[in-house]
């Protein structure tokens, strides 16, 4: 370190000597630019030797300047996250095993524990320490640094591929527990969101219909097309055209004009054009193929196709939004079968989420509108479990069921509704002094195919409730259909035995 500093200051001294010796302005600017280039080179070398500083600065991009973390050049553990309660050394990081076999290791991750990365204390290193016989552990899903709870880790490539496939096929059900600031009413009818609009709701008995409809809407958005029934509806947008399609459509338009056919591009419309004789250039154009066009002409049609694709996606998003509203009116998610029924009613948070590009260095996710092209549809189901007072402030324990896997989805939805998660300084208050972020991954079920169940067993895992002493649960709610699925299998097996 001292040798590098000595070289740096020598180069700096030489630069300033050259500046003072040169009488011309041009030489001064040249010398000063060389000085700053040397300085940037030195800083880049320092960052390369100390990658922790770069990582910490990146994770601080959401904080104000006065909350930025100070970090010495030689210290890799002097971070605010570590001061919050996470283990300081690898020996202090003790794994809490919920289940383990030759295929999976299921951990009960603690708060403020890093999964991997260029850090001295990570779960990856702790797994390698406690299971040296396993060649390599692979992550199937991830939890935020401050989030605790169930974490499923693959012990071999085949098991990891199966777990990732189930996540990709939306065959995973997860539930989270959280303690939020304020008293969120048990009944959504007694609550309004930050815009003063009554909260959306769904009764427990109709939760299956809601999940089915939301998953169908997301599937259609991802496929960028509606179902066959949607395509027959009057308001369904006209499909997007590619470059070759636009080229052949223009040829067809010219031929129709020459033959006296006044039909427009869309059936049933008229452009009022009569019969006319094509010019030699137009006649030659009608006999061309796509491969006869020059690169510039193809690029022009490609740009038109891109604009048409954006038009279609915008109209499709508006159509699906209207379809979601129509389904809500038809299903009547919030209505009870009987007025005297005491079944729990869930909050429905469906604010779209915008994830800034990594190049911007922004850490916080944003709430957008359904009209935003960059916004991704996100839905969270929320049940209130109990109320309490924590350090003189009202808090509420809630059960959260995300229907999508957006980054920071639960944290952003609760903060957007006006009830941020306790201890969440990113989306809540910077002055929150809670000992941890009170978000816990409670249950998870990887619903595999029959072949997967035969090989890996029932991939259902549950961890203890860390907030039970703080906020006792006043009612029990479970949205995961694992037990119902097992009961149905038991009934089916009993019927098969009776027949045999």
């Amino acid at each position: 370190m001292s040798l590098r500093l000595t070289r740096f200051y020598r180069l700096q001294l030489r630069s300033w000597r050259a500046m003072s010796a040169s009488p011309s302005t041009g030489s001064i600017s040249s010398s000063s630019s060389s000085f700053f280039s040397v300085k940037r080179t030195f800083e880049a070398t320092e960052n390369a030797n100390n990658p922790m500083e770069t990582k910490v600065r990146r994770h601080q991009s959401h904080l104000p300047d006065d909350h930025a973390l100070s970090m010495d050049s030689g210290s890799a553990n002097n971070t605010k996250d570590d001061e919050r309660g996470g283990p300081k050394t690898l020996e202090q990081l003790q794994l809490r095993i919920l289940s383990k076999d030759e295929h999976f290791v299921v951990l009960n991750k603690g708060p403020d524990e890093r999964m991997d990365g260029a850090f001295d204390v990570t779960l990856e290193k702790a797994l390698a320490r406690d299971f040296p016989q396993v060649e390599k552990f692979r992550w199937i899903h991830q939890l935020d640094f401050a989030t605790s709870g169930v974490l499923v880790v693959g012990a071999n490539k085949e098991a990891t591929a199966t777990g990732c496939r189930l996540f990709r096929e939306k065959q995973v059900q997860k539930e989270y527990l959280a303690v939020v600031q304020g008293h969120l009413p048990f009944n959504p009818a007694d609550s309004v969101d930050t815009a003063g609009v009554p909260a959306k709701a769904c009764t427990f008995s109709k939760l299956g219909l809601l999940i089915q409809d939301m998953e169908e809407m997301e599937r259609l958005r991802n496929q960028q097309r509606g179902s066959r029934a949607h395509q027959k509806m009057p308001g369904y947008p006209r499909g997007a055209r590619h470059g070759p399609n636009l080229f052949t459509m223009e040829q067809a338009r010219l031929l129709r004009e020459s033959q006296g056919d006044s039909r427009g591009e869309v059936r049933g419309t008229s452009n009022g054009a009569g019969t006319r004789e094509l010019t030699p250039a137009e006649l030659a154009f009608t006999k061309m193929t796509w491969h006869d066009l020059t690169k510039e002409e193809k690029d022009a049609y490609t740009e038109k196709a891109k604009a048409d694709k954006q038009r279609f996606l915008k109209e499709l998003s508006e159509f699906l939004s209207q379809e979601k509203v129509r389904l809500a009116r038809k299903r009547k998610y919030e209505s009870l079968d009987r007025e005297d029924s005491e079944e729990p009613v869930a909050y429905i948070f469906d604010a779209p989420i915008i994830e800034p590009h990594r190049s911007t260095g922004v850490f916080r996710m944003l709430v957008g509108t359904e009209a935003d092209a960059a916004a991704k549809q996100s839905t969270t189901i929320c049940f209130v479990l109990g109320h309490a007072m924590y350090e003189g402030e009202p808090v509420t324990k809630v059960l959260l069921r995300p229907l999508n896997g957006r980054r920071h989805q639960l944290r952003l939805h609760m903060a957007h509704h006006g009830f941020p998660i306790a201890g969440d300084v990113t989306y809540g208050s910077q002055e929150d002094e809670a000992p941890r972020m009170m978000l816990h991954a409670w249950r998870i079920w990887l619903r595999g195919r029959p072949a997967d169940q035969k090989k890996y067993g029932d991939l259902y895992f549950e961890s203890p409730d860390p907030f039970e002493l703080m906020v006792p649960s006043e009612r029990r709610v479970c949205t995961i259909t694992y037990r119902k699925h097992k009961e149905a299998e038991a009934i089916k097996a009993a019927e098969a035995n009776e027949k045999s």
Side-chain angles (χ1 to χ4, degrees):
M1 179 67 180
S2 60
L3 181 59
R4 288 199 303 272
L5 285 174
T6 303
R7 290 177 178 174
F8 170 70
Y9 286 122
R10 284 179 181 174
L11 290 171
Q12 179 181 1
L13 182 60
R14 290 176 184 174
S15 300
W16 283 109
R17 283 177 178 174
M19 290 171 57
S20 59
S22 176
S24 63
T25 306
S27 61
I28 292 177
S29 62
S30 175
S31 300
S32 61
S33 63
S34 63
F35 162 69
F36 287 112
S37 64
V38 170
K39 183 177 180 181
R40 285 193 295 268
T41 304
F42 174 75
E43 291 175 348
T45 306
E46 286 297 296
N47 288 335
N49 294 328
N50 186 13
M52 276 293 302
E53 186 172 1
T54 306
K55 287 180 176 292
V56 171
R57 285 176 180 171
R58 185 177 71 246
H59 288 293
Q60 293 174 14
S61 59
H62 66 287
L63 297 176
D65 294 337
D66 55 346
H67 286 81
L69 311 182
S70 60
M71 181 172 182
D72 299 333
S73 59
S75 173
N77 295 322
N78 185 21
T79 65
K80 188 174 180 179
D81 289 336
D82 291 332
E83 293 175 359
R84 195 169 180 174
K88 305 297 189 299
T89 63
L90 191 60
E91 290 73 18
Q92 295 178 358
L93 179 55
Q94 299 299 321
L95 298 179
R96 293 168 291 276
I97 308 296
L98 296 176
S99 174
K100 63 178 180 179
D101 56 22
E102 58 181 333
H103 304 294
F104 299 98
V105 173
V106 184
L107 306 177
N108 184 14
K109 175 185 174 297
D112 302 335
E113 292 180 358
R114 302 186 186 278
M115 294 179 59
D116 51 17
F119 301 95
D120 295 335
V121 185
T122 63
L123 293 175
E124 184 179 35
K125 294 181 179 179
L127 284 168
R129 176 198 64 195
D130 294 351
F131 299 93
Q133 70 278 10
V134 178
E135 180 181 357
K136 182 180 179 180
F137 285 98
R138 296 170 174 85
W139 305 119
I140 295 177
H141 63 113
Q142 294 194 3
L143 295 176
D144 289 342
F145 163 73
T147 304
S148 61
V150 180
L151 181 64
V152 184
V153 187
N156 54 64
K157 287 185 178 180
E158 186 177 0
T160 304
T162 300
C164 294
R165 173 176 56 80
L166 295 178
F167 269 90
R168 188 169 57 251
E169 295 176 353
K170 308 294 183 183
Q171 296 298 319
V172 179
Q173 300 179 18
K174 294 189 293 182
E175 285 183 345
Y176 290 76
L177 290 174
V179 176
V180 300
Q181 299 174 2
H183 275 176
L184 185 64
F186 278 101
N187 191 350
D190 302 332
S191 176
V192 295
D193 60 14
T194 53
V197 180
K200 298 180 181 179
C202 179
T203 59
F204 186 82
S205 59
K206 296 184 179 179
L207 205 56
L209 287 175
L210 173 72
I211 294 174
Q212 176 183 337
D213 293 340
M214 294 299 103
E215 289 180 348
E216 176 68 9
M217 290 295 105
E218 184 182 9
R219 185 182 65 82
L220 295 178
R221 288 180 189 274
N222 293 337
Q223 292 182 352
Q224 297 182 355
R225 65 178 182 181
S227 63
R228 291 186 177 181
H230 290 154
Q231 295 174 12
K232 296 178 181 179
M233 292 182 178
Y236 189 78
R238 174 177 57 82
R241 275 81 181 256
H242 301 288
N245 298 133
L246 296 174
F247 167 68
T248 55
M249 287 173 59
E250 190 170 350
Q251 288 181 319
R253 179 182 60 81
L254 292 175
L255 291 175
R256 286 197 301 269
E257 291 179 1
S258 65
Q259 297 171 2
D261 190 349
S262 61
R263 288 181 302 169
E265 291 185 5
V266 182
R267 183 176 298 178
T269 64
S270 174
N271 55 12
T275 304
R276 71 179 183 88
E277 185 177 354
L278 298 180
T279 63
E282 291 176 337
L283 186 61
F285 175 78
T286 58
K287 297 180 180 180
M288 295 175 64
T289 64
W290 174 258
H291 299 289
D292 296 332
L293 299 179
T294 63
K295 184 179 183 302
E296 291 75 13
E297 292 172 335
K298 290 182 179 179
D299 291 342
Y301 283 108
T302 302
E303 291 300 322
K304 292 181 181 179
K306 290 181 180 179
D308 193 56
K309 180 67 174 295
Q310 294 300 321
R311 185 269 317 163
F312 170 74
L313 293 179
K314 182 179 179 180
E315 293 179 358
L316 178 64
S317 178
E318 295 174 354
F319 174 82
L320 293 179
S321 299
Q322 296 173 0
E323 180 67 9
K324 186 170 67 173
V325 174
R326 186 189 69 83
L327 280 176
R329 288 198 299 263
K330 178 182 178 181
R331 306 285 196 191
K332 297 181 179 179
Y333 300 125
E334 70 282 355
S335 62
L336 297 171
D337 295 335
R338 301 194 322 270
E339 294 184 359
D340 59 343
S341 176
E342 297 182 357
E343 67 172 299
V345 182
Y347 290 82
I348 305 300
F349 304 139
D350 57 356
I353 294 178
I354 299 177
E355 182 174 355
H357 195 270
R358 293 181 178 180
S359 60
T360 61
V362 178
F363 184 71
R364 291 169 56 101
M365 303 298 105
L366 306 173
V367 172
T369 62
E370 295 184 351
D372 295 331
K376 296 182 179 180
Q377 186 63 34
S378 309
T379 305
T380 301
I381 299 170
C382 172
F383 283 96
V384 176
L385 300 183
H387 298 126
M389 300 294 293
Y390 176 71
E391 295 186 352
E393 298 293 335
V395 293
T396 304
K397 183 163 73 173
V398 295
L399 170 71
L400 302 175
R401 166 79 182 274
L403 300 187
N404 317 90
R406 312 301 180 204
R407 187 180 184 186
H408 297 177
Q409 174 177 333
L410 304 180
R411 300 162 62 182
L412 183 57
H413 276 174
M414 295 309 300
H416 180 66
H417 191 71
F419 295 86
I421 296 176
D424 187 0
V425 296
T426 302
Y427 299 99
S429 173
Q430 294 284 343
E431 300 176 356
D432 194 336
E433 297 181 355
R436 56 160 293 186
M437 187 177 72
M438 298 185 185
L439 179 62
H440 179 78
W442 192 19
R443 301 167 177 152
I444 186 171
W445 180 32
L446 286 76
R447 183 176 180 177
R449 302 168 183 171
D452 299 331
Q453 296 179 7
K454 183 177 181 180
K455 183 173 183 178
Y456 303 112
D458 293 330
L459 300 178
Y460 173 81
F461 308 103
E462 182 176 343
S463 62
D465 178 3
F467 312 127
E468 184 62 27
L469 296 178
M470 181 190 308
V471 187
S473 298
E474 301 178 26
R475 61 182 181 183
R476 304 292 177 181
V477 180
C478 181
T479 64
I480 293 180
T481 58
Y482 168 74
R483 291 184 175 85
K484 185 183 296 185
H485 175 73
K486 297 303 293 183
E487 291 174 359
E489 284 187 345
I491 294 174
K492 188 182 296 184
E495 292 176 352
N497 291 334
E498 290 179 359
K499 291 181 180 180
S500 61

